[in-house]
Each structure stands twice: as structure tokens, then as C-alpha cells.
Amino acid sequence: MTIREFKMPDVGEGLTEAEILKWYVQPGDTVTDGQVVCEVETAKAAVELPIPFDGVVHALLFEEGTTVDVGQVIISVQTGEAEAPAPAAAAVEPAPAAAEPAPAARQPVLVGYGVSEASTKRRPRKAAPAPAVAAQNGTAAPVAAPAPAAPAAPAPLPAVPAQPSGERPLAKPPVRKLAKDLGIDLASVVPTGDGGVVTREDVHAAAAAAITPQAAAPAAAPAAAPAAVAAPVAQAAAPAVDASVRETRIPVKGVRKVTAQAMVGSAFTAPHVTEFITFDVTRTMKLVQELKADPDLAGLRINPLLLIAKAVLVAIRRNPDVNASWDEAAQEIVLKHYVNLGIAAATPRGLIVPNIKDAHAKTLGELSESLSALVATARDGKTSPADMQNGTITLTNVGVFGVDTGTPILNPGESAILAVGAIKLQPWVHKGKVKPRHVTTLALSFDHRLIDGELGSRFLADIASVLEHPRRLITWS
């Protein structure tokens, strides 16, 4: 009999810590080599951790919600043929609803939101201490069906035909994320997909079924029903209802923590210069409509951002020195002969900047596919750390919020970032007459160590020129 320890690995590239989001096992559970035992959140992605050996869980050394340094032991497992030890004293875990052990044949997903067991809701961040106290002062059994799950588990769900007992529901990662966001337990959803796979339509149907019965309930029931369905919103807004609570403190962790560190480091390391240009993009908007009707591009997402990205790539080809980085240690400027085009994406976990690898080598159709995949992956929370490494230049589209422009801060290690403002109909002088035209403003921030004013100005002017006269996408390519 041997007690083996499993340490928090470096699940990204040089990450130093991760937060434990959910334990899938409890002390006394049997685990097999490759079985996912927990889900952790790094500064860049949510990651499932498989354990690399067989045995019986001896102790969980950290509670859910705890930030753990890389290299620290997070779980101990007793190997050999002995019976499982009594884990009461060893477990510090508040013992949420017990998860069924994952089947041995399950393929672990090391990066991104993988095939994890759906929970009715994400753990409550502010209310987390209360379940922990309950778990320590009570027995494990009452905690398995307690207050943490109650707000997010709609009462009518047990009436829905459930999955066979002991089996993990089959569903793709985006569907699991959807179920988590809607507060739906996948185990209670009737699958209609091939091979018993739960689809997005199944989850929406389960959510609708959870709400419909409550509409017919007595007068007292409707008051409680919305609270159950909208638990995450209600919890977030609760402090504002209490007039005695004037401030709420939110721990800085995960994406927010790393974003803050990166922005401060960038702002006070790279000397920023921001230039602006306002111009007519009417021809580009017409081209967007023509491309949407092109049979060769059928099924692809064609929008102004796609053509702006293409214009940036054309401008980089004309001004290759803007695509560089500063090596402080070697005191060298590193010219990049490739473009990994970053796209700033706002996600529920915070701002992330995944990038399209080798964007310079892609056709317009390939760029559209890559852009759509990048956005979908970010929205579903599956962006991997590798997807956010080695960017060269970034686009941030503040125009989607109706904002005209801004002064963006460089993504660390990159030479420039382009902010795209809202495209609006404005009076504009065109061919000697004032006419309504589609107008936008671009803002380019760049590292003045790498890019002087002349180069930065030519680069920004070239981007605007391509978008004002999109035929240059061909003549300058």
C-alpha cells in the first residue's frame, strides 16, 4: 500500500497557479489512470486534470475555489489492493454533490472546457464559505444535496426522464457549457442525438420544461421560480438590494488578474503612441454585401471585421517593419516574417486575445473560417493557452458597442494594436458634394521603440486606403 500524490501541473506555458473549480471525486472513490478528477481555471483557460495512476482517493487537499500554486500537491491516492481509508479527517473539501466516477474509456481533455460532468450552476463565489462550514460541521451525506445546488436546480427537473443511473451524459463541450449557463443538469435531459448524445435543442427543451410548469403553480410558487431559474443573476444582484451594503469586494484572480498585470506591465514598459484616422468605408460596406452573395463564399461569415483584418495584412506586407517585437535581454529588434493576428474577445471569463496563426498566408475564405472558429471557441470557453501565445499584432473591435474609437493598450510582446470604431452613416464630402456615407475611425497604438512616427503613420494610412478603395486588396496584394 502506497500513498501517491498528484501535484498541480503547469497546464499552460509558464503559468504559476490555477484555481480549483470543481472536484469530480471524493475521498474513498476509486480512480483509474487517465480519469479526470478535477477542473481548474488558469489565467487563460479552464482545464480538466486527469490523474496518471490507479487507486483509491485518500484526501483532497484543497477546497473548490482555492488558488493553488503549480507544484503543490492537490490530491493523494492510495494505491494497491487495500481497502479505502476513512477519509473524514483528511478531506478538507466541502464535498459538493458527489460525482459518479468517470468511465475508464473516457478520453481526458487536457486543455479547454472538455467533456466534463455538467453541474447545475457554477460554484457561488461569494457564498462559498457557507457550504464549506456546513460540510465541516455536518456529515457528507447532507452536503450532497444542499444549498449550493438548490438555487440553480429548477424544481421540475426531476420530472424529466433522466439518464441511466451511474452513466455520464454524452454531450459536446459547447452543449455542456450551455447547460451550465442555463442551470440544467445534463443527467436529467433526454438525449435525442445519435448514440444518446445530448444536443443544444435538448438542453433548450429541458430549460423550457423547467419554466413552463412553474407558470401554472400557485401564487406563491411563481415568486420562488424565477429565483431558481435566474440564480446566477440573483446572487450577483443581491448585495445591491440590501441598502446597508454600500460596497462589494471581488477577488482579483484568473483572467482579470493576468489582464491587469499585463496591461500595467505593457503601459509602463512599452512607450505607447496612438494615432487616429477617420475615413469613408462606403465601398467596403458595398463589397461586404457583394461577397455575402458570392456562391464561392456561401456558408462563410462575411462582415466588415473580416475585410479590416485583410486590410491590416496587406498593410503589413507593405510595411513589414511594423511586425516586430522588442527583446530587452538581447537588446535586439526581432522582425517577424509571419503574422499571428490577435483578435481581442470579451468572454464571460474576461478579456482574452487568441490569435489566428499564420494569418498572412490565408485566403479570404480561410481567414473567415479561422475568425469564426476563434470567436466560437472563445465564446464556449475552450480557448487553449497555445491559442493565445506568440501574437504579433492585434485587432480590437470597440465599434460593436457603438464606440467611435479609443486608445488601446498593447498586448504584451506585440508591436501594435488597432482599435476599430463604429461604422456610421454621416454627412461626408464625396465628389464635391455632401452625401450620407459610411464613416469610421481607426486608432492605432504602437510601441515607439519599434515603430517611429513615420512608419506608424504610413501603416495606418495604408489600412485606411485599402478600406476606402477595397480594390487595393488586389492591386497591393
Side-chain angles (χ1 to χ4, degrees):
M1 292 182 295
T2 306
I3 300 297
R4 299 187 63 179
E5 298 176 333
F6 179 60
K7 299 178 180 179
M8 176 70 74
D10 178 2
V11 293
E13 297 185 14
L15 298 176
T16 59
E17 63 184 18
E19 178 187 350
I20 297 176
L21 291 181
K22 181 176 179 62
W23 284 107
Y24 295 130
V25 296
Q26 295 298 316
D29 289 351
T30 300
V31 293
T32 57
D33 184 0
Q35 177 179 334
V36 173
V37 294
C38 67
E39 181 182 26
V40 302
E41 182 178 44
T42 71
K44 299 178 178 179
V47 182
E48 291 184 324
L49 298 183
I51 200 157
F53 41 79
D54 301 335
V56 176
V57 177
H58 178 258
L60 308 180
L61 303 182
F62 292 95
E63 298 180 0
E64 292 180 354
T66 305
T67 299
V68 181
D69 291 335
V70 169
Q72 282 191 283
V73 178
I74 59 174
I75 182 175
S76 60
V77 174
Q78 178 177 296
T79 60
E81 299 181 354
E83 295 180 358
V92 226
E93 159 63 21
E100 293 291 335
R106 180 172 180 265
Q107 181 66 33
V109 181
L110 292 178
V111 177
Y113 282 108
V115 189
S116 61
E117 180 181 8
S119 59
T120 54
K121 66 182 288 294
R122 186 168 174 173
R123 57 175 181 77
R125 294 185 181 273
K126 299 304 288 184
V133 173
Q136 292 169 359
N137 296 338
T139 61
V143 182
L157 286 183
V160 182
Q163 297 278 342
S165 177
E167 294 185 9
R168 288 176 71 88
L170 300 176
K172 294 181 179 179
V175 178
R176 293 184 180 276
K177 178 64 166 55
L178 174 64
K180 181 182 290 187
D181 292 342
L182 295 179
I184 299 299
D185 184 359
L186 279 180
S188 65
V189 177
V190 179
T192 61
D194 294 339
V197 175
V198 177
T199 65
R200 296 179 67 90
E201 290 72 19
D202 297 337
V203 174
H204 284 300
I211 298 173
T212 303
Q214 299 189 26
V229 175
V233 177
Q235 289 182 354
V241 177
D242 187 351
S244 65
V245 177
R246 296 173 61 85
E247 296 179 350
T248 299
R249 290 182 174 268
I250 302 173
V252 178
K253 60 176 73 174
V255 173
R256 174 59 60 189
K257 180 177 180 179
V258 172
T259 299
Q261 293 171 343
M263 293 299 97
V264 170
S266 176
F268 292 98
T269 300
H272 285 55
V273 173
T274 304
E275 293 186 342
F276 308 89
I277 188 168
T278 301
F279 58 100
D280 181 358
V281 291
T282 303
R283 292 185 180 92
T284 288
M285 298 303 290
K286 290 180 179 177
L287 179 58
V288 167
Q289 297 305 316
E290 292 173 2
L291 293 176
K292 285 182 177 180
D294 190 331
D296 292 336
L297 298 176
L300 298 179
R301 184 174 178 81
I302 307 297
N303 55 25
L305 184 62
L306 173 64
L307 295 187
I308 292 171
K310 195 65 176 177
V312 169
L313 296 173
V314 170
I316 290 174
R317 182 176 299 177
R318 288 172 55 84
N319 305 275
D321 288 351
V322 303
N323 193 40
S325 63
W326 183 272
D327 189 333
E328 181 66 28
Q331 285 295 293
E332 294 176 340
I333 293 175
V334 183
L335 295 177
K336 308 293 180 64
H337 304 300
Y338 58 90
V339 182
N340 290 344
L341 186 63
I343 305 294
T347 73
R349 297 179 55 244
L351 177 68
I352 62 174
V353 188
N355 57 74
I356 300 173
K357 307 298 184 189
D358 294 324
H360 65 287
K362 295 183 181 295
T363 64
L364 188 67
E366 293 170 340
L367 192 62
S368 174
E369 291 176 343
S370 297
L371 188 58
S372 296
L374 178 148
V375 172
T377 301
R379 183 178 58 245
D380 293 336
K382 298 189 297 179
T383 302
S384 70
D387 292 334
M388 292 180 278
Q389 299 294 323
N390 303 318
T392 58
I393 287 180
T394 289
L395 291 179
T396 177
N397 186 10
V398 298
V400 295
F401 305 108
V403 175
D404 290 332
T405 189
T407 54
I409 297 177
L410 294 172
N411 201 31
E414 299 183 8
S415 60
I417 179 171
L418 182 73
V420 180
I423 298 175
K424 300 178 179 178
L425 272 176
Q426 296 183 17
W428 195 262
V429 177
H430 177 67
K431 296 181 179 180
K433 297 181 180 180
V434 177
K435 297 181 179 181
R437 304 285 287 180
H438 286 97
V439 177
T440 191
T441 299
L442 301 181
L444 178 72
S445 292
F446 53 87
D447 186 341
H448 216 344
R449 297 173 301 177
L450 296 164
I451 303 173
D452 58 26
E454 179 190 4
L455 178 59
S457 298
R458 283 195 284 107
F459 177 58
L460 181 58
D462 280 353
I463 296 172
S465 183
V466 171
L467 295 172
E468 193 163 15
H469 303 283
R471 66 175 180 273
R472 287 175 177 157
L473 286 170
I474 299 174
T475 60
W476 285 2
S477 294

